[in-house]
Amino acid sequence: MKYIIANFKMNQTPQETKEYLIRLLPKVEEGKHKLVLCLPATSMGVASFMLNGGEVSIGGQNLCDEEEGKCTGEISGKMLKNAGCEFVIVGHSERRVKFKETARSINKKIKIALKNRLKVILCVGENLAERNTLKMLETLKVQIEEALKGLYENELENIIIAYEPVWAIGSGKVPTNKEIETSVKAIRKVITDDFSAKAGEAITVVYGGSIDAKNAPTINRAKGLNGMLIGGSCLDAGTFATILREV
Ligand code: PEP
């Protein structure tokens, strides 16, 4: 079963999430996808109540790199778990760029997430300059190795790697399937080299960046992919339901 992960970013009030789920849930086909809704923290309560431990999972979009205490405005791994999350996004490019998230912080967040039994959706991807200078595969390697430093192979079953080229996020531009396949292969090779061939084969890899109802079926056919991470196109329940139907 493929993953369809929705990143709502800083959108929706709890009331809007409630109305969204009322529209979306009747259109979710049981057993077709592994659907994960990465919601704003304020919407988790209503979503957790409505989803009631069923097939659709909730995810956070970030967590603090400390476990608890003097971190005003932050949200901890334990809080996310307790709010009903099964997943959390770590290292999204918006956090790396806008909030100056460092590799060390991303590594700490992953360890805290795993400690709290949250599955991690680790975002990696090259920016346009790296793509233009053909440094994309090197970028992926560095980002993955820094993020997964100190992890044991058996922890990889709780890691999803989301390949999200920064230039594709929210831009309407998408790589070709051939380009996606090259990157997915490179990601699996990093895991093979650093852990084992079995781990490289088994690691879950999804693609994210400007997926819409039109291009989703094509991207879904890229070899080696285990699913998709969708930002802008998840915000309208009708559009998102179309994507769910088409892939
Ligand atoms: C994202 O930000 O994770 C993302 C995939 O965004 P979009 O689909 O809007 O490009």
Side-chain angles (χ1 to χ4, degrees):
M1 212 187 311
K2 286 197 178 175
Y3 279 90
I4 306 285
I5 303 166
N7 176 12
F8 288 76
K9 310 194 185 198
M10 199 168 68
N11 294 293
Q12 289 191 355
T13 62
Q15 180 62 27
E16 286 165 344
T17 298
K18 183 179 169 186
E19 288 160 12
Y20 178 94
L21 290 176
I22 289 171
R23 285 187 66 201
L24 181 75
L25 292 180
K27 296 180 179 145
V28 174
E29 291 173 53
E30 238 177 81
K32 189 176 177 197
H33 307 106
K34 179 73 195 141
L35 185 56
V36 183
L37 307 179
C38 296
L39 296 163
T42 45
S43 286
M44 285 170 189
V46 68
S48 172
F49 178 75
M50 291 177 74
L51 298 172
N52 194 24
E55 262 201 14
V56 180
S57 302
I58 303 173
Q61 299 173 11
N62 179 39
L63 78 163
C64 185
D65 64 8
E66 292 189 29
E67 296 206 42
E68 64 180 348
K70 296 174 183 169
C71 294
T72 303
E74 289 288 301
I75 187 155
S76 73
K78 187 176 170 185
M79 289 169 186
L80 290 177
K81 185 73 188 178
N82 205 262
C85 290
E86 247 184 89
F87 294 82
V88 62
I89 296 174
V90 178
H92 191 281
S93 66
E94 285 159 15
R95 297 217 54 90
R96 290 181 195 255
V97 176
K98 279 194 193 170
F99 300 97
K100 312 274 179 282
E101 206 160 85
T102 63
R104 186 173 135 72
S105 168
I106 289 169
N107 180 250
K108 282 171 73 184
K109 288 179 184 201
I110 290 176
K111 288 176 178 162
I112 290 172
L114 294 176
K115 192 171 166 190
N116 285 283
R117 289 173 291 111
L118 289 162
K119 295 192 177 91
V120 171
I121 302 158
L122 167 65
C123 296
V124 296
E126 80 283 357
N127 61 28
L128 199 55
E130 288 156 346
R131 174 179 159 90
N132 289 341
T133 51
L134 303 176
K135 288 199 183 119
M136 48 193 283
L137 301 185
E138 179 58 23
T139 301
L140 295 176
K141 181 175 163 67
V142 171
Q143 288 179 354
I144 293 168
E145 291 189 338
E146 286 174 340
L148 303 184
K149 202 180 278 176
L151 260 65
Y152 296 105
E153 183 168 331
N154 66 356
E155 292 177 295
L156 296 181
E157 66 185 30
N158 293 317
I159 305 279
I160 294 170
I161 299 184
Y163 171 53
E164 296 214 306
V166 180
W167 54 271
I169 295 177
S171 65
K173 296 188 184 118
V174 289
T176 62
N177 273 16
K178 217 165 167 206
E179 287 170 319
I180 294 175
E181 285 164 7
T182 302
S183 297
V184 172
K185 233 175 163 177
I187 289 168
R188 292 191 186 281
K189 182 164 175 1
V190 175
I191 301 296
T192 296
D193 292 347
D194 292 353
F195 295 91
S196 72
K198 194 171 152 219
E201 218 174 283
I203 189 83
T204 303
V205 186
V206 302
Y207 167 81
S210 290
I211 293 175
D212 58 27
K214 238 171 124 185
N215 62 27
T218 304
I219 292 170
N220 187 45
R221 285 194 293 273
K223 288 188 201 85
L225 265 193
N226 305 111
M228 306 179 176
L229 174 44
I230 299 170
S233 297
C234 78
L235 294 176
D236 175 74
T239 307
F240 192 45
T242 305
I243 294 178
L244 292 177
R245 196 183 60 231
E246 297 287 321
V247 300

mmCIF file of all heavy atoms in Angstrom, residues 45-94:
data_model
loop_
_atom_site.group_PDB
_atom_site.id
_atom_site.type_symbol
_atom_site.label_atom_id
_atom_site.label_comp_id
_atom_site.label_asym_id
_atom_site.label_seq_id
_atom_site.Cartn_x
_atom_site.Cartn_y
_atom_site.Cartn_z
ATOM 1 N N GLY A 45 -6.673 17.972 17.890
ATOM 2 C CA GLY A 45 -7.699 17.505 18.828
ATOM 3 C C GLY A 45 -8.961 17.085 18.081
ATOM 4 O O GLY A 45 -9.447 15.960 18.234
ATOM 5 N N VAL A 46 -9.453 17.966 17.227
ATOM 6 C CA VAL A 46 -10.693 17.675 16.507
ATOM 7 C C VAL A 46 -10.473 16.513 15.531
ATOM 8 O O VAL A 46 -11.333 15.627 15.385
ATOM 9 C CB VAL A 46 -11.266 18.953 15.812
ATOM 10 C CG1 VAL A 46 -10.392 19.435 14.677
ATOM 11 C CG2 VAL A 46 -12.664 18.706 15.297
ATOM 12 N N ALA A 47 -9.297 16.488 14.900
ATOM 13 C CA ALA A 47 -9.029 15.417 13.936
ATOM 14 C C ALA A 47 -8.928 14.073 14.649
ATOM 15 O O ALA A 47 -9.477 13.073 14.186
ATOM 16 C CB ALA A 47 -7.740 15.713 13.174
ATOM 17 N N SER A 48 -8.263 14.071 15.778
ATOM 18 C CA SER A 48 -8.088 12.824 16.524
ATOM 19 C C SER A 48 -9.458 12.281 16.961
ATOM 20 O O SER A 48 -9.723 11.086 16.875
ATOM 21 C CB SER A 48 -7.188 13.137 17.716
ATOM 22 O OG SER A 48 -7.116 12.070 18.554
ATOM 23 N N PHE A 49 -10.337 13.183 17.373
ATOM 24 C CA PHE A 49 -11.693 12.800 17.772
ATOM 25 C C PHE A 49 -12.458 12.223 16.574
ATOM 26 O O PHE A 49 -13.092 11.165 16.670
ATOM 27 C CB PHE A 49 -12.416 14.026 18.349
ATOM 28 C CG PHE A 49 -13.826 13.757 18.753
ATOM 29 C CD1 PHE A 49 -14.098 13.053 19.922
ATOM 30 C CD2 PHE A 49 -14.891 14.194 17.978
ATOM 31 C CE1 PHE A 49 -15.410 12.785 20.301
ATOM 32 C CE2 PHE A 49 -16.202 13.930 18.344
ATOM 33 C CZ PHE A 49 -16.460 13.228 19.506
ATOM 34 N N MET A 50 -12.352 12.891 15.429
ATOM 35 C CA MET A 50 -13.122 12.442 14.264
ATOM 36 C C MET A 50 -12.547 11.170 13.630
ATOM 37 O O MET A 50 -13.279 10.343 13.116
ATOM 38 C CB MET A 50 -13.180 13.561 13.214
ATOM 39 C CG MET A 50 -14.017 14.741 13.658
ATOM 40 S SD MET A 50 -13.996 16.073 12.459
ATOM 41 C CE MET A 50 -15.052 15.415 11.175
ATOM 42 N N LEU A 51 -11.234 11.031 13.670
ATOM 43 C CA LEU A 51 -10.621 9.854 13.013
ATOM 44 C C LEU A 51 -10.655 8.642 13.932
ATOM 45 O O LEU A 51 -10.608 7.502 13.461
ATOM 46 C CB LEU A 51 -9.172 10.170 12.604
ATOM 47 C CG LEU A 51 -9.060 11.308 11.581
ATOM 48 C CD1 LEU A 51 -7.607 11.702 11.353
ATOM 49 C CD2 LEU A 51 -9.703 10.912 10.261
ATOM 50 N N ASN A 52 -10.704 8.895 15.214
ATOM 51 C CA ASN A 52 -10.991 7.873 16.210
ATOM 52 C C ASN A 52 -10.156 6.589 16.054
ATOM 53 O O ASN A 52 -10.702 5.489 16.050
ATOM 54 C CB ASN A 52 -12.511 7.556 16.129
ATOM 55 C CG ASN A 52 -12.981 6.761 17.322
ATOM 56 O OD1 ASN A 52 -12.357 6.814 18.380
ATOM 57 N ND2 ASN A 52 -14.055 6.001 17.159
ATOM 58 N N GLY A 53 -8.848 6.774 15.879
ATOM 59 C CA GLY A 53 -7.955 5.620 15.798
ATOM 60 C C GLY A 53 -8.150 4.744 14.572
ATOM 61 O O GLY A 53 -7.687 3.604 14.535
ATOM 62 N N GLY A 54 -8.818 5.254 13.546
ATOM 63 C CA GLY A 54 -9.090 4.455 12.337
ATOM 64 C C GLY A 54 -7.902 4.415 11.400
ATOM 65 O O GLY A 54 -6.758 4.615 11.809
ATOM 66 N N GLU A 55 -8.204 4.183 10.123
ATOM 67 C CA GLU A 55 -7.148 3.975 9.120
ATOM 68 C C GLU A 55 -6.349 5.226 8.781
ATOM 69 O O GLU A 55 -5.202 5.140 8.385
ATOM 70 C CB GLU A 55 -7.804 3.494 7.825
ATOM 71 C CG GLU A 55 -7.756 2.014 7.664
ATOM 72 C CD GLU A 55 -7.924 1.612 6.213
ATOM 73 O OE1 GLU A 55 -7.827 2.434 5.301
ATOM 74 O OE2 GLU A 55 -8.182 0.423 6.014
ATOM 75 N N VAL A 56 -6.985 6.391 8.896
ATOM 76 C CA VAL A 56 -6.299 7.632 8.533
ATOM 77 C C VAL A 56 -5.471 8.103 9.729
ATOM 78 O O VAL A 56 -5.986 8.206 10.840
ATOM 79 C CB VAL A 56 -7.318 8.722 8.116
ATOM 80 C CG1 VAL A 56 -6.616 10.009 7.739
ATOM 81 C CG2 VAL A 56 -8.195 8.218 6.968
ATOM 82 N N SER A 57 -4.194 8.372 9.479
ATOM 83 C CA SER A 57 -3.302 8.759 10.579
ATOM 84 C C SER A 57 -3.074 10.266 10.616
ATOM 85 O O SER A 57 -3.212 10.950 9.602
ATOM 86 C CB SER A 57 -1.937 8.091 10.403
ATOM 87 O OG SER A 57 -2.083 6.704 10.351
ATOM 88 N N ILE A 58 -2.679 10.732 11.798
ATOM 89 C CA ILE A 58 -2.352 12.148 11.973
ATOM 90 C C ILE A 58 -0.841 12.276 12.143
ATOM 91 O O ILE A 58 -0.196 11.428 12.766
ATOM 92 C CB ILE A 58 -3.049 12.717 13.225
ATOM 93 C CG1 ILE A 58 -4.554 12.525 13.133
ATOM 94 C CG2 ILE A 58 -2.729 14.197 13.404
ATOM 95 C CD1 ILE A 58 -5.279 12.922 14.402
ATOM 96 N N GLY A 59 -0.305 13.357 11.576
ATOM 97 C CA GLY A 59 1.116 13.638 11.754
ATOM 98 C C GLY A 59 1.313 15.086 12.173
ATOM 99 O O GLY A 59 0.484 15.945 11.882
ATOM 100 N N GLY A 60 2.424 15.340 12.855
ATOM 101 C CA GLY A 60 2.842 16.714 13.139
ATOM 102 C C GLY A 60 3.704 17.213 11.986
ATOM 103 O O GLY A 60 4.115 16.432 11.124
ATOM 104 N N GLN A 61 3.967 18.517 11.989
ATOM 105 C CA GLN A 61 4.788 19.090 10.907
ATOM 106 C C GLN A 61 6.194 19.424 11.371
ATOM 107 O O GLN A 61 7.054 19.816 10.592
ATOM 108 C CB GLN A 61 4.120 20.350 10.369
ATOM 109 C CG GLN A 61 2.750 20.112 9.786
ATOM 110 C CD GLN A 61 2.049 21.397 9.419
ATOM 111 O OE1 GLN A 61 2.642 22.477 9.401
ATOM 112 N NE2 GLN A 61 0.771 21.305 9.123
ATOM 113 N N ASN A 62 6.412 19.295 12.681
ATOM 114 C CA ASN A 62 7.703 19.656 13.274
ATOM 115 C C ASN A 62 7.640 19.263 14.748
ATOM 116 O O ASN A 62 6.543 19.038 15.281
ATOM 117 C CB ASN A 62 7.905 21.174 13.146
ATOM 118 C CG ASN A 62 9.207 21.648 13.753
ATOM 119 O OD1 ASN A 62 10.235 20.981 13.646
ATOM 120 N ND2 ASN A 62 9.170 22.781 14.419
ATOM 121 N N LEU A 63 8.793 19.159 15.393
ATOM 122 C CA LEU A 63 8.816 19.001 16.853
ATOM 123 C C LEU A 63 10.059 19.682 17.366
ATOM 124 O O LEU A 63 10.967 20.005 16.593
ATOM 125 C CB LEU A 63 8.779 17.518 17.261
ATOM 126 C CG LEU A 63 10.071 16.703 17.164
ATOM 127 C CD1 LEU A 63 9.940 15.439 17.986
ATOM 128 C CD2 LEU A 63 10.365 16.329 15.731
ATOM 129 N N CYS A 64 10.094 19.889 18.686
ATOM 130 C CA CYS A 64 11.239 20.584 19.291
ATOM 131 C C CYS A 64 12.428 19.627 19.373
ATOM 132 O O CYS A 64 12.260 18.420 19.504
ATOM 133 C CB CYS A 64 10.860 21.063 20.684
ATOM 134 S SG CYS A 64 12.159 22.072 21.455
ATOM 135 N N ASP A 65 13.641 20.191 19.310
ATOM 136 C CA ASP A 65 14.822 19.331 19.449
ATOM 137 C C ASP A 65 15.243 19.157 20.908
ATOM 138 O O ASP A 65 16.318 18.647 21.195
ATOM 139 C CB ASP A 65 15.981 19.828 18.571
ATOM 140 C CG ASP A 65 16.484 21.199 18.971
ATOM 141 O OD1 ASP A 65 16.046 21.718 20.021
ATOM 142 O OD2 ASP A 65 17.323 21.755 18.235
ATOM 143 N N GLU A 66 14.377 19.597 21.816
ATOM 144 C CA GLU A 66 14.580 19.284 23.235
ATOM 145 C C GLU A 66 13.339 18.540 23.709
ATOM 146 O O GLU A 66 12.262 18.691 23.138
ATOM 147 C CB GLU A 66 14.792 20.549 24.045
ATOM 148 C CG GLU A 66 16.125 21.216 23.679
ATOM 149 C CD GLU A 66 16.491 22.358 24.605
ATOM 150 O OE1 GLU A 66 16.099 22.331 25.790
ATOM 151 O OE2 GLU A 66 17.161 23.278 24.112
ATOM 152 N N GLU A 67 13.500 17.787 24.806
ATOM 153 C CA GLU A 67 12.381 16.915 25.199
ATOM 154 C C GLU A 67 11.266 17.639 25.932
ATOM 155 O O GLU A 67 10.091 17.334 25.753
ATOM 156 C CB GLU A 67 12.910 15.746 26.019
ATOM 157 C CG GLU A 67 13.830 14.884 25.166
ATOM 158 C CD GLU A 67 13.899 13.452 25.618
ATOM 159 O OE1 GLU A 67 12.859 12.879 25.969
ATOM 160 O OE2 GLU A 67 15.011 12.922 25.635
ATOM 161 N N GLU A 68 11.639 18.589 26.810
ATOM 162 C CA GLU A 68 10.600 19.372 27.510
ATOM 163 C C GLU A 68 11.235 20.579 28.182
ATOM 164 O O GLU A 68 12.447 20.709 28.215
ATOM 165 C CB GLU A 68 9.882 18.506 28.561
ATOM 166 C CG GLU A 68 10.749 18.013 29.685
ATOM 167 C CD GLU A 68 9.976 17.158 30.691
ATOM 168 O OE1 GLU A 68 8.737 17.129 30.649
ATOM 169 O OE2 GLU A 68 10.636 16.528 31.522
ATOM 170 N N GLY A 69 10.391 21.467 28.689
ATOM 171 C CA GLY A 69 10.895 22.551 29.539
ATOM 172 C C GLY A 69 10.926 23.907 28.875
ATOM 173 O O GLY A 69 9.967 24.309 28.235
ATOM 174 N N LYS A 70 12.059 24.587 29.026
ATOM 175 C CA LYS A 70 12.131 26.015 28.698
ATOM 176 C C LYS A 70 12.281 26.252 27.195
ATOM 177 O O LYS A 70 13.343 26.653 26.709
ATOM 178 C CB LYS A 70 13.307 26.632 29.461
ATOM 179 C CG LYS A 70 13.118 26.592 30.970
ATOM 180 C CD LYS A 70 14.350 27.078 31.693
ATOM 181 C CE LYS A 70 14.141 26.953 33.197
ATOM 182 N NZ LYS A 70 15.381 27.159 33.949
ATOM 183 N N CYS A 71 11.228 26.020 26.462
ATOM 184 C CA CYS A 71 11.241 26.183 25.001
ATOM 185 C C CYS A 71 9.913 26.817 24.588
ATOM 186 O O CYS A 71 9.092 26.194 23.891
ATOM 187 C CB CYS A 71 11.419 24.845 24.305
ATOM 188 S SG CYS A 71 13.006 24.095 24.619
ATOM 189 N N THR A 72 9.695 28.036 25.010
ATOM 190 C CA THR A 72 8.427 28.735 24.755
ATOM 191 C C THR A 72 8.022 28.662 23.276
ATOM 192 O O THR A 72 8.824 28.960 22.397
ATOM 193 C CB THR A 72 8.559 30.210 25.194
ATOM 194 O OG1 THR A 72 8.920 30.223 26.569
ATOM 195 C CG2 THR A 72 7.244 30.969 25.002
ATOM 196 N N GLY A 73 6.795 28.249 23.066
ATOM 197 C CA GLY A 73 6.253 28.225 21.697
ATOM 198 C C GLY A 73 6.519 26.942 20.944
ATOM 199 O O GLY A 73 6.054 26.789 19.825
ATOM 200 N N GLU A 74 7.267 26.035 21.537
ATOM 201 C CA GLU A 74 7.598 24.790 20.831
ATOM 202 C C GLU A 74 6.615 23.670 21.192
ATOM 203 O O GLU A 74 5.841 23.792 22.147
ATOM 204 C CB GLU A 74 9.022 24.344 21.205
ATOM 205 C CG GLU A 74 10.110 25.220 20.637
ATOM 206 C CD GLU A 74 10.272 25.023 19.133
ATOM 207 O OE1 GLU A 74 10.551 23.916 18.708
ATOM 208 O OE2 GLU A 74 10.109 26.011 18.394
ATOM 209 N N ILE A 75 6.686 22.586 20.436
ATOM 210 C CA ILE A 75 5.849 21.423 20.722
ATOM 211 C C ILE A 75 6.763 20.194 20.790
ATOM 212 O O ILE A 75 7.652 20.038 19.956
ATOM 213 C CB ILE A 75 4.711 21.283 19.678
ATOM 214 C CG1 ILE A 75 3.743 20.178 20.076
ATOM 215 C CG2 ILE A 75 5.243 21.009 18.285
ATOM 216 C CD1 ILE A 75 2.360 20.367 19.492
ATOM 217 N N SER A 76 6.551 19.369 21.810
ATOM 218 C CA SER A 76 7.465 18.237 22.025
ATOM 219 C C SER A 76 6.965 16.964 21.339
ATOM 220 O O SER A 76 5.784 16.848 21.000
ATOM 221 C CB SER A 76 7.635 17.969 23.520
ATOM 222 O OG SER A 76 6.460 17.366 24.036
ATOM 223 N N GLY A 77 7.871 16.008 21.209
ATOM 224 C CA GLY A 77 7.502 14.707 20.660
ATOM 225 C C GLY A 77 6.426 14.052 21.507
ATOM 226 O O GLY A 77 5.455 13.483 20.981
ATOM 227 N N LYS A 78 6.595 14.148 22.795
ATOM 228 C CA LYS A 78 5.629 13.533 23.714
ATOM 229 C C LYS A 78 4.231 14.158 23.539
ATOM 230 O O LYS A 78 3.216 13.467 23.542
ATOM 231 C CB LYS A 78 6.135 13.741 25.144
ATOM 232 C CG LYS A 78 5.359 13.049 26.214
ATOM 233 C CD LYS A 78 6.069 13.281 27.532
ATOM 234 C CE LYS A 78 5.219 12.829 28.698
ATOM 235 N NZ LYS A 78 5.866 13.158 29.975
ATOM 236 N N MET A 79 4.212 15.484 23.358
ATOM 237 C CA MET A 79 2.915 16.171 23.165
ATOM 238 C C MET A 79 2.236 15.704 21.872
ATOM 239 O O MET A 79 1.030 15.477 21.832
ATOM 240 C CB MET A 79 3.120 17.687 23.093
ATOM 241 C CG MET A 79 3.487 18.330 24.400
ATOM 242 S SD MET A 79 4.000 20.025 24.060
ATOM 243 C CE MET A 79 4.559 20.509 25.689
ATOM 244 N N LEU A 80 3.040 15.574 20.813
ATOM 245 C CA LEU A 80 2.465 15.126 19.526
ATOM 246 C C LEU A 80 1.885 13.728 19.674
ATOM 247 O O LEU A 80 0.771 13.456 19.221
ATOM 248 C CB LEU A 80 3.536 15.135 18.429
ATOM 249 C CG LEU A 80 4.024 16.498 17.954
ATOM 250 C CD1 LEU A 80 5.137 16.332 16.930
ATOM 251 C CD2 LEU A 80 2.890 17.315 17.345
ATOM 252 N N LYS A 81 2.655 12.854 20.307
ATOM 253 C CA LYS A 81 2.195 11.475 20.479
ATOM 254 C C LYS A 81 0.885 11.469 21.259
ATOM 255 O O LYS A 81 -0.085 10.797 20.901
ATOM 256 C CB LYS A 81 3.281 10.673 21.216
ATOM 257 C CG LYS A 81 2.977 9.213 21.338
ATOM 258 C CD LYS A 81 3.129 8.518 19.998
ATOM 259 C CE LYS A 81 2.643 7.092 20.061
ATOM 260 N NZ LYS A 81 2.735 6.411 18.780
ATOM 261 N N ASN A 82 0.883 12.250 22.314
ATOM 262 C CA ASN A 82 -0.293 12.313 23.178
ATOM 263 C C ASN A 82 -1.495 12.942 22.490
ATOM 264 O O ASN A 82 -2.649 12.655 22.830
ATOM 265 C CB ASN A 82 0.076 13.100 24.437
ATOM 266 C CG ASN A 82 -0.804 12.721 25.583
ATOM 267 O OD1 ASN A 82 -1.768 13.411 25.865
ATOM 268 N ND2 ASN A 82 -0.517 11.582 26.202
ATOM 269 N N ALA A 83 -1.235 13.788 21.492
ATOM 270 C CA ALA A 83 -2.330 14.443 20.751
ATOM 271 C C ALA A 83 -2.873 13.537 19.638
ATOM 272 O O ALA A 83 -3.740 13.943 18.878
ATOM 273 C CB ALA A 83 -1.841 15.758 20.158
ATOM 274 N N GLY A 84 -2.324 12.330 19.530
ATOM 275 C CA GLY A 84 -2.865 11.379 18.541
ATOM 276 C C GLY A 84 -2.007 11.201 17.301
ATOM 277 O O GLY A 84 -2.434 10.541 16.356
ATOM 278 N N CYS A 85 -0.816 11.811 17.300
ATOM 279 C CA CYS A 85 0.040 11.676 16.103
ATOM 280 C C CYS A 85 0.739 10.323 16.080
ATOM 281 O O CYS A 85 1.178 9.822 17.108
ATOM 282 C CB CYS A 85 1.119 12.755 16.084
ATOM 283 S SG CYS A 85 0.470 14.386 15.784
ATOM 284 N N GLU A 86 0.869 9.810 14.864
ATOM 285 C CA GLU A 86 1.661 8.590 14.636
ATOM 286 C C GLU A 86 2.934 8.956 13.885
ATOM 287 O O GLU A 86 3.886 8.193 13.858
ATOM 288 C CB GLU A 86 0.852 7.672 13.714
ATOM 289 C CG GLU A 86 0.351 6.390 14.316
ATOM 290 C CD GLU A 86 -0.324 5.588 13.228
ATOM 291 O OE1 GLU A 86 0.349 4.809 12.559
ATOM 292 O OE2 GLU A 86 -1.555 5.790 13.040
ATOM 293 N N PHE A 87 2.898 10.124 13.227
ATOM 294 C CA PHE A 87 3.994 10.548 12.356
ATOM 295 C C PHE A 87 4.400 11.986 12.689
ATOM 296 O O PHE A 87 3.616 12.725 13.289
ATOM 297 C CB PHE A 87 3.539 10.529 10.882
ATOM 298 C CG PHE A 87 3.237 9.149 10.350
ATOM 299 C CD1 PHE A 87 2.001 8.545 10.606
ATOM 300 C CD2 PHE A 87 4.173 8.459 9.613
ATOM 301 C CE1 PHE A 87 1.715 7.268 10.118
ATOM 302 C CE2 PHE A 87 3.899 7.188 9.120
ATOM 303 C CZ PHE A 87 2.675 6.593 9.371
ATOM 304 N N VAL A 88 5.605 12.358 12.251
ATOM 305 C CA VAL A 88 5.976 13.767 12.297
ATOM 306 C C VAL A 88 6.948 14.062 11.153
ATOM 307 O O VAL A 88 7.827 13.254 10.865
ATOM 308 C CB VAL A 88 6.579 14.169 13.670
ATOM 309 C CG1 VAL A 88 7.868 13.422 13.996
ATOM 310 C CG2 VAL A 88 6.820 15.670 13.749
ATOM 311 N N ILE A 89 6.724 15.202 10.507
ATOM 312 C CA ILE A 89 7.656 15.647 9.456
ATOM 313 C C ILE A 89 8.864 16.280 10.148
ATOM 314 O O ILE A 89 8.709 17.066 11.094
ATOM 315 C CB ILE A 89 6.988 16.698 8.533
ATOM 316 C CG1 ILE A 89 5.807 16.087 7.769
ATOM 317 C CG2 ILE A 89 7.994 17.303 7.571
ATOM 318 C CD1 ILE A 89 5.003 17.101 6.939
ATOM 319 N N VAL A 90 10.048 15.960 9.656
ATOM 320 C CA VAL A 90 11.270 16.586 10.188
ATOM 321 C C VAL A 90 12.109 17.066 9.001
ATOM 322 O O VAL A 90 12.236 16.370 7.997
ATOM 323 C CB VAL A 90 12.092 15.579 11.047
ATOM 324 C CG1 VAL A 90 13.383 16.233 11.538
ATOM 325 C CG2 VAL A 90 11.281 15.081 12.237
ATOM 326 N N GLY A 91 12.651 18.289 9.147
ATOM 327 C CA GLY A 91 13.588 18.790 8.144
ATOM 328 C C GLY A 91 12.952 19.280 6.861
ATOM 329 O O GLY A 91 13.610 19.301 5.810
ATOM 330 N N HIS A 92 11.695 19.717 6.933
ATOM 331 C CA HIS A 92 11.072 20.298 5.736
ATOM 332 C C HIS A 92 11.912 21.503 5.287
ATOM 333 O O HIS A 92 12.436 22.238 6.116
ATOM 334 C CB HIS A 92 9.631 20.720 6.049
ATOM 335 C CG HIS A 92 8.868 21.082 4.819
ATOM 336 N ND1 HIS A 92 9.009 22.304 4.206
ATOM 337 C CD2 HIS A 92 7.981 20.382 4.059
ATOM 338 C CE1 HIS A 92 8.228 22.338 3.128
ATOM 339 N NE2 HIS A 92 7.602 21.179 3.024
ATOM 340 N N SER A 93 11.997 21.715 3.987
ATOM 341 C CA SER A 93 12.878 22.795 3.492
ATOM 342 C C SER A 93 12.442 24.168 4.001
ATOM 343 O O SER A 93 13.276 25.054 4.192
ATOM 344 C CB SER A 93 12.930 22.789 1.966
ATOM 345 O OG SER A 93 11.671 23.111 1.449
ATOM 346 N N GLU A 94 11.138 24.350 4.240
ATOM 347 C CA GLU A 94 10.700 25.643 4.785
ATOM 348 C C GLU A 94 11.289 25.863 6.173
ATOM 349 O O GLU A 94 11.600 26.980 6.572
ATOM 350 C CB GLU A 94 9.160 25.709 4.814
ATOM 351 C CG GLU A 94 8.604 25.929 3.419
ATOM 352 C CD GLU A 94 7.154 25.507 3.247
ATOM 353 O OE1 GLU A 94 6.458 25.295 4.257
ATOM 354 O OE2 GLU A 94 6.725 25.380 2.084
#
